[in-house]
Amino acid sequence: MSAPEAPPFEAPWQAQLFALTVALNEAGHFAWADWAERFGARRAEGPAADASDYFDHWLDVFEGFVAELGLAESAVLAELAASWRRAAEATPHGVALALENDPLGGGAGETDTRYRE
């Protein structure tokens, strides 16, 4: 009997990031070969011995790529990342993480027009 396989994602954000990347590729925003080249170059810069930084690198490449493609502005991505960090710090244990928990009221609302489809 073999040992159970480890889950492919350690956290929900990793699965969501992967799904977003695949969705942008399938929508024709970039070729997978271009993604693989960029991600491979980032990983070659020096991954952690235990590969714990794999999805951190994936996120770095994703943010740069979507900004370069004009799908989101770098400043907006940085603002959202800061808002998520504040929300995470302000969210009590056991409560679902949401941008509404950002004490500074950051994040993008439904009427935010800085994002492109």
Side-chain angles (χ1 to χ4, degrees):
M1 184 166 156
S2 63
E5 289 187 34
F9 306 104
E10 294 179 4
W13 72 268
Q14 295 171 346
Q16 293 166 343
L17 176 61
F18 181 82
L20 281 170
T21 307
V22 171
L24 289 177
N25 167 256
E26 290 178 349
H29 291 286
F30 61 85
W32 196 257
D34 293 337
W35 170 263
E37 181 180 332
R38 289 167 187 261
F39 183 64
R42 177 65 179 98
R43 294 296 290 160
E45 292 175 9
D50 65 356
S52 61
D53 56 356
Y54 185 87
F55 279 101
D56 292 327
H57 289 176
W58 191 291
L59 179 59
D60 289 344
V61 174
F62 180 84
E63 288 177 340
F65 210 16
V66 298
E68 182 181 318
L69 293 169
L71 299 172
E73 298 172 13
S74 295
V76 173
L77 292 172
E79 179 184 321
L80 279 168
S83 184
W84 277 112
R85 278 191 292 280
R86 290 188 303 266
E89 291 170 2
T91 301
H93 181 72
V95 175
L97 180 58
L99 281 178
E100 292 79 21
N101 298 343
D102 178 356
L104 298 182
E110 292 182 88
T111 59
D112 196 324
T113 59
R114 296 175 291 181
Y115 305 93
R116 298 168 190 87
E117 291 185 25

